Amino acid sequence: MGLLKYIASLTLVASVAIGNAQTHVFDVKTNKLGTEIPQTMYGIFFEDINYGADGGLYGELIKNRSFEFPQNLMGWMSFGDVKLQDDGPFERCPHYVRLSVCKEASKWTGLQNEGYFGIGYLKGADYRFSVWARVPNGGTAQFKAQLIDPSTMSERQQYLGEATITVNSKEWKKYECTIKCADLVEKGSFRILLDHSSSPVDLEHISLFPKDTYKGDDNGLRKDLAEALEQLHPGVFRFPGGCVVEGAELESRYQWKNSVGPVENRPLNENRWLHSFDNRLFPDYFQSYGLGFYEYFRLSEEIGAEPLPVLSVGLACQYQSKNHQPVDQLQPYIDDALDLIEFANGDPAQNKWAKVRADMGHPAPFNLKYIAIGNEQWGPEFPVRLKPFVEQIRAKYPNIQIIGSAGPDSEGEKYDYLWPEMRKLKVDLVDEHFYRNEAWFRQAGNRYDNYSRKGPKVFAGEYACHIDGKKWNQFQAALFEAAFMTNLERNADIVRMATYAPLFAHVEGWQWRPDAIWFNNTQKFNTCSYYVQQLYATNKGTHVLPLTMKGKPVAGNADQDGLFASAVYDKNQQMVIVKVVNTSDKEQSFLLQQQGKPLDLGKVEVTTLMADHPEAENSLDNPTRIVPVSAVKSYKMGDDLAIPANTFMVLKFHRK
Ligand code: AHR
């Protein structure tokens, strides 16, 4: 057994404070590989909340492109002779507009779209404009498609780029062109301007995307936001919600079948977050379904995460509604689940939903392994509905893992009722949610140490620290999440996946905070919580290593001075990785006492995440105020280690 005592010349804080401090001894059994850590361990959960999809991750810049919002011209300013029609070429999106030249020769006809809190344009970037059009009475129509800077202060011309489109067919056809943008504009708009000599023209599905989408995909994603997801190295990708799966009423639940096939024919759905809070009301919040299940599966594949779709169990959001599908009429809902498995994995020659996938460009299966039924459900109405799903999925697809739910609470009546029910139904994993304050996180360091190892495993599907009274992304919240995650890591035999929530928020359109990534129309920033997730995912290792202090897990207990710690071994890199979180206001010293092959002390990779104030946070103006800082350190036997107050530290030791 070797005693390794390392001193932190770790810098950032003067090490004087440790003079009288007690050194904490962490015993790490590096010769005793524990549970294999699943690839799915740290993942992401995406929901269309906070304008996360339309107006966020989804690349479309036009709001209400198919004129299907209940107020059909919402998002559009029309001028001149513009008439709404409802017998368009797409059955489930029948509305379109007819533009005709005004009788008064000097007047203009056209339309202007406001985008989502404006349209963000990047200087020098190309934009792909497309529209379905026809000349209903024959002749030739001409109009301009213009990228507009509506700022009245600007001295330049209003348009930053334009293209002229000529339409001369009486049949509906798709017209497409590229428009280059001359400047950066945060809150632009988009204009269609009919030529004075034009024949009347019908326009439908007016669309504008940046050409440079994530991976260059058609109907693609905003690149900077999708790249931020990729950089989280998620092992699992839960979608599409959350409460949007349930709907405020059953009618507005997320229906995946409406979200696949040609985008022009995907019907609009109300977003459940439209009217959730009257102090943050967004009457224009709808789901175009442009970012649909095909795109979610494609993204899973592109970022290397296991797809984990969530489907309605036949219960609308129980906080808001008693709208439940009767148990004896659940079959269409169950069919949605069975058909989804075919959509993802089936043979296009044998199954119509698999054929939809192939026709959309992905003949190979997506290799779906997990399906969640229900989100935050509770009470007897949940298990009674989940049961027939489980029976039918098991009968047809015995290899698919089914995820149930422990309800909306981390403990209490609903949770106590549901766990035994989930055991009875023999689901594979139980989805637990906990949005809790710092006091809860402080005492939750042992949450999973004594969980029953029999029956379903745990999926910590939604969690975040909400600091009392200040629900934002201050550093302190992230620190408690990092502390809590040592508990997930140590218990990887029972906790098989975990996803922080929510993922995205538009700075002008949020309903819920904190969130992992914030953005406006042209920029984004990662929060401290994002970096905590990233540090865990990129240092998840392959096996748990036992790490204790005086024989107990280091979990922030009364005699542990606010310290939390866990360790893993990475067999591919042959590295021991130790995570330590100091949630106290004092620097703490520790030493590692290890049993196992010697480690290379000359080249230790040390990464710290710390802030100058617990309430400090990143922002659009200062996106990198708090980021992980890495350095390679050299230690000698007998050195001590110190971790500054309120700090998350990851230490990576190579084997000698
Ligand atoms: O993540 C925000 C919401 O929190 C989710 O939609 C829901 O599952 C939970 O209540």
Side-chain angles (χ1 to χ4, degrees), residues 256-371:
W256 75 266
K257 286 175 178 166
N258 290 343
S259 80
V260 297
V263 280
E264 295 87 348
N265 204 19
R266 299 185 192 174
L268 188 81
N269 192 21
E270 182 182 281
N271 190 304
R272 178 241 175 281
W273 296 104
L274 182 160
H275 38 51
S276 302
F277 308 112
D278 61 0
N279 60 336
R280 295 201 61 78
L281 191 67
F282 295 91
D284 64 348
Y285 201 178
F286 292 86
Q287 300 177 80
S288 71
Y289 278 153
L291 172 50
F293 263 43
Y294 178 83
E295 289 77 22
Y296 285 126
F297 278 110
R298 180 177 67 184
L299 179 61
S300 304
E301 196 168 76
E302 288 170 341
I303 58 180
E306 293 293 347
L308 196 175
V310 190
L311 298 191
S312 164
V313 72
L315 297 171
C317 177
Q318 288 172 270
Y319 285 111
Q320 288 185 310
S321 166
K322 295 217 178 320
N323 189 200
H324 304 336
Q325 183 72 358
V327 179
D328 59 359
Q329 293 168 34
L330 265 181
Q331 197 55 44
Y333 289 68
I334 301 171
D335 287 344
D336 277 356
L338 302 174
D339 291 340
L340 178 64
I341 297 170
E342 289 295 337
F343 173 79
N345 294 351
D347 175 356
Q350 307 284 332
N351 181 277
K352 88 168 194 191
W353 291 106
K355 183 167 180 322
V356 172
R357 180 196 76 230
D359 290 348
M360 291 183 76
H362 204 288
F366 280 117
N367 201 13
L368 176 71
K369 301 187 181 83
Y370 305 93
I371 192 164

Side-chain angles (χ1 to χ4, degrees), residues 161-218:
E162 65 171 5
T164 301
I165 288 89
T166 304
V167 181
N168 48 23
S169 168
K170 280 179 148 186
E171 303 303 317
W172 284 103
K173 276 193 197 163
K174 187 174 180 180
Y175 295 80
E176 240 179 323
C177 66
T178 299
I179 308 174
K180 193 176 269 310
C181 183
D183 216 340
L184 171 81
V185 172
E186 167 59 26
K187 282 179 172 290
S189 57
F190 176 77
R191 187 180 290 161
I192 299 277
L193 194 60
L194 194 66
D195 273 12
H196 285 304
S197 59
S198 178
S199 300
V201 64
D202 291 342
L203 303 179
E204 158 66 319
H205 199 87
I206 301 176
S207 171
L208 187 72
F209 273 78
K211 212 164 180 190
D212 192 17
T213 54
Y214 179 60
K215 307 274 187 204
D217 290 331
D218 278 346

Side-chain angles (χ1 to χ4, degrees), residues 87 98 136 152 259 293 535:
D87 58 347
R98 177 162 298 164
T152 50
S259 80
F293 263 43
L535 283 171

Side-chain angles (χ1 to χ4, degrees), residues 65-85:
R65 62 188 173 189
S66 294
F67 307 99
E68 295 302 326
F69 281 28
Q71 281 74 30
N72 295 82
L73 285 182
M74 195 180 243
W76 294 97
M77 178 170 65
S78 67
F79 48 95
D81 188 348
V82 176
K83 289 195 182 68
L84 184 73
Q85 313 284 319

Side-chain angles (χ1 to χ4, degrees), residues 45 47 49 238 241-244 246 272-273 319 375-376 408 433 435 462 501-502 512:
F45 159 50
E47 173 165 24
I49 184 172
R238 178 180 184 243
C243 290
V244 302
E246 303 158 349
R272 178 241 175 281
W273 296 104
Y319 285 111
N375 173 46
E376 285 183 348
H433 292 180
Y435 297 103
E462 293 185 30
W512 185 292

